[in-house]
């Protein structure tokens, strides 16, 4: 019996060891440089929680959960992966990494001889020495060159992404433009700031500080405004608003602790129209409030993994605000056509609705942006410059 037990234990150790790569002495690996929060690695169709001491192998798929991040590679080739991201190590040979970003964002700082290629949305990026930021969201992907020139092959054609430019990829289409600091989120800004301690990127830390200050002021303004307004509590107890206690799923006196509620704020504005009334379609002026504010900053409870779109829809329902939207297959997201009877092109051929979160305008659809506790959402109507008049940018 003892021998049988020992044999079962040995088999278990061997099985786990083979999955985790304990016995792959001749196989090339890459290291985990830092790990924050909970991340998972899938290897040989088995997933387990990633630990800082783990080595990553070819074929590994790393999933980074909400609020987490992981940095892998070496001192000369580091890849930082943001939360809500999935990345696959497609190859490791002769010390060179090949990667595929399946979802989310990755910030890559490396020398060319250490990174072979990076796959992004049916494209292949051949990285030169330098820094590149990649974003893969539903329906669209973007590559930003922050240092150096990089070649991207997409649809059978190759093109160079020069330093300071970016490439937007949409289902067999691509467009190129200059990188605007306002188009970069907090993940990008924090990594640029870190790398700037050793080298000089396209944006300086002084530029970043000014942007961070402006965004923080936006958040503080939203908090101050929210204190004067009502909370829309349709999140965790949407189906039964009167139920504010703990659930008792076991039928005894033991109560299952509830998660702390999560909140965001949302505001809907069309004040840019006030300066462009001459361009407004006749009859639409009745839908433009004198203040330019359709919904003042309102605090909303939301559920885990809910999106900006879901919160907008719920709030409009609660306040009786007209909302029209459609699903856009190109972006794999819902597109907001009209709010409060104000539609795209109602105030010029560059007019329409845009959204920002914490002062940043995401370059992907509102039903792809998953909210975090404390986020501030602003829906704003742009009249000129495809968002330039509300502080946004195409890129």
């Amino acid at each position: 019996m003892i021998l049988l037990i020992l044999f079962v234990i040995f088999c278990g150790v061997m099985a786990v060891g083979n999955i985790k790569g304990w016995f792959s002495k001749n196989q090339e690996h890459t290291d985990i440089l830092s790990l924050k929060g909970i991340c998972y690695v899938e290897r040989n169709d088995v997933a387990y929680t990633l630990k800082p001491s783990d080595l990553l192998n070819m074929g590994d798929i790393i999933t980074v959960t909400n609020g987490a991040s992981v940095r892998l590679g070496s001192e000369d080739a580091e890849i930082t992966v943001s939360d809500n991201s999935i990345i696959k190590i497609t190859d490791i040979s002769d010390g060179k990494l090949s990667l595929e970003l399946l979802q989310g964002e990755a910030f890559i700082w490396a020398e060319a001889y250490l990174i072979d290629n990076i796959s992004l949305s049916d494209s292949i990026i051949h990285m030169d020495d330098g820094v590149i930021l990649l974003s893969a969201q539903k329906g669209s992907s973007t590559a930003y060159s922050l240092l150096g020139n990089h070649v991207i092959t997409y649809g059978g054609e190759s093109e160079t992404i020069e330093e300071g430019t970016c490439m937007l990829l949409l289902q067999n289409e691509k467009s190129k433009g200059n990188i605007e600091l306002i188009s970069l989120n907090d993940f990008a800004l924090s990594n640029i700031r870190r790398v700037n301690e050793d080298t000089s990127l396209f944006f300086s830390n002084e530029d970043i500080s000014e942007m961070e200050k402006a965004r923080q002021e936006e958040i503080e303004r939203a908090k101050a405004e929210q204190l004067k307004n009502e909370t829309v509590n349709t999140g965790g107890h949407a189906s039964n608003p009167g139920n504010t206690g703990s659930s008792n799923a076991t039928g005894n006196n033991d109560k299952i602790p509830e998660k702390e509620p999560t909140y965001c704020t949302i505001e809907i504005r069309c004040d840019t129209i006030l300066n462009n009334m001459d361009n407004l379609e006749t009859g639409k002026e009745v839908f433009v409030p004198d203040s330019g504010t359709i919904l003042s900053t309102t605090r909303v409870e939301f559920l885990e993994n809910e999106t900006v779109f879901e919160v907008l829809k719920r709030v409009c329902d609660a306040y009786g605000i007209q909302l029209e939207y459609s699903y856009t297959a190109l972006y794999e997201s819902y597109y907001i056509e009209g709010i409060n009877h104000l539609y795209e092109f109602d105030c010029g051929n560059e007019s329409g609705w845009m959204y920002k979160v914490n002062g940043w305008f995401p370059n992907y659809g509102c039903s792809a942006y998953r909210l975090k506790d404390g986020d501030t959402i602003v829906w704003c109507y742009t009249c000129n410059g495809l968002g330039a008049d509300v502080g946004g940018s195409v890129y």
Side-chain angles (χ1 to χ4, degrees), residues 53 68 119 122 154 176 202-203 217 219 225 244 246 250 256 258 263 271 277 283 311 321 326 336 358 378:
S53 58
S119 299
D122 297 325
Y154 186 63
K176 190 175 178 181
F202 190 72
F203 298 108
E217 288 174 352
I219 294 171
E225 181 70 21
T244 57
S246 300
T250 59
I256 299 174
E258 292 186 342
Y263 296 95
D271 47 317
M277 294 297 287
V311 167
I321 299 171
S326 60
I336 303 304
N358 302 328
V378 178

Side-chain angles (χ1 to χ4, degrees), residues 131-135 142-146 165-166 179 183-184 363 395:
V131 176
I132 193 166
L133 170 68
L134 304 178
S135 174
T142 312
Y144 303 83
S145 176
L146 297 166
T165 66
C166 58
I179 304 175
S183 68
L184 303 179
N363 61 348
Y395 292 98

Side-chain angles (χ1 to χ4, degrees), residues 352-370:
W353 287 99
M354 300 179 66
Y355 78 100
K356 57 181 173 178
V357 182
N358 302 328
W360 171 59
F361 288 87
N363 61 348
Y364 49 90
C366 60
S367 59
Y369 190 104
R370 300 193 181 280

Side-chain angles (χ1 to χ4, degrees), residues 152-332:
I152 183 168
T153 301
Y154 186 63
E157 297 181 355
S158 295
E159 188 171 349
T160 299
I161 312 174
E162 295 87 3
E163 182 176 321
T165 66
C166 58
M167 182 76 74
L168 177 65
L169 308 174
L170 298 169
Q171 290 188 8
N172 298 322
E173 296 182 14
K174 61 184 179 181
S175 59
K176 190 175 178 181
N178 295 323
I179 304 175
E180 301 288 345
L181 188 61
I182 196 170
S183 68
L184 303 179
N185 63 7
D186 291 344
F187 168 77
L189 296 184
S190 63
N191 279 284
I192 293 172
R193 179 184 290 278
R194 178 174 60 84
V195 172
N196 272 338
E197 295 177 1
D198 295 310
T199 189
S200 296
L201 297 187
F202 190 72
F203 298 108
S204 69
N205 284 352
E206 290 74 17
D207 296 330
I208 294 172
S209 293
E210 290 183 12
M211 181 58 63
E212 289 173 336
K213 180 181 178 182
R215 290 181 180 176
Q216 187 59 39
E217 288 174 352
E218 170 116 358
I219 294 171
E220 294 301 325
R221 182 197 64 79
K223 289 180 179 178
E225 181 70 21
Q226 175 271 315
L227 292 175
K228 301 183 295 184
N229 300 309
E230 177 186 4
T231 296
V232 179
N233 186 356
T234 58
H237 306 291
S239 60
N240 185 4
N243 176 17
T244 57
S246 300
S247 61
N248 187 0
T250 59
N252 54 34
N253 293 326
D254 295 331
K255 293 183 177 180
I256 299 174
E258 292 186 342
K259 290 183 178 180
E260 289 294 322
T262 50
Y263 296 95
C264 65
T265 65
I266 184 169
E267 179 183 6
I268 306 173
R269 298 164 46 185
C270 61
D271 47 317
T272 52
I273 297 179
L274 298 176
N275 297 322
N276 295 274
M277 294 297 287
D278 291 343
N279 296 327
L280 186 64
E281 184 178 329
T282 303
K284 292 285 186 173
E285 60 275 1
V286 296
F287 302 116
V288 181
D290 292 340
S291 64
T293 300
I294 295 171
L295 177 72
S296 57
T297 307
T298 303
R299 190 171 183 241
V300 184
E301 183 179 352
F302 66 91
L303 296 171
E304 185 177 0
N305 288 325
E306 279 201 303
T307 66
V308 168
F309 170 74
E310 290 167 313
V311 167
L312 172 68
K313 187 175 182 299
R314 191 161 67 247
V315 166
C316 286
D317 288 343
Y319 282 94
I321 299 171
Q322 182 267 352
L323 175 66
E324 187 168 339
Y325 52 87
S326 60
Y327 184 79
T328 304
L330 180 64
Y331 294 96
E332 296 182 27

Side-chain angles (χ1 to χ4, degrees), residues 94-116:
D94 299 326
K96 297 181 70 171
L97 277 172
S98 292
L99 309 163
E100 181 178 6
L101 181 62
L102 302 172
Q103 173 185 306
E105 293 177 300
F107 186 94
I108 303 173
W109 177 21
E111 297 183 13
Y113 69 90
L114 294 169
I115 294 289
D116 193 2

